[in-house]
Amino acid sequence: EPDPTSMRLRKAGLGHLRSLEWVVRRFAPLLLAQATLRLGPRLVRVYDVEEIVADAWAALLPRVRALP
């Protein structure tokens, strides 16, 4: 039986807005933390971490449907 995250991803890929919202809420904090960590203290003052995460979502969301 698939785990809840897999089920939500599948539904999000099919256009289910609540599942898409759930995926974004669940993973956005992790993406923000990862971007902040990878930029480091100097670059985090130069680049907008939220913009980087938004770009990541823009690249990922169209591909959610193709996930196995």
Side-chain angles (χ1 to χ4, degrees):
E1 187 170 312
D3 66 287
T5 302
S6 296
M7 290 176 15
R8 295 281 187 152
L9 279 169
R10 265 192 221 106
K11 286 182 178 180
L14 295 173
H16 189 261
L17 293 180
R18 284 197 178 182
S19 292
L20 181 60
E21 180 183 4
W22 183 90
V23 168
V24 170
R25 285 182 188 247
R26 176 157 176 122
F27 291 104
L30 298 171
L31 289 172
L32 286 167
Q34 190 63 223
T36 302
L37 178 71
R38 289 180 179 266
L39 285 173
R42 287 185 186 169
L43 292 178
V44 80
R45 288 180 280 177
V46 177
Y47 295 100
D48 183 3
V49 176
E50 290 184 9
E51 189 174 319
I52 292 170
V53 171
D55 287 346
W57 283 120
L60 171 71
L61 291 177
R63 296 182 175 122
V64 169
R65 180 174 268 176
L67 291 173

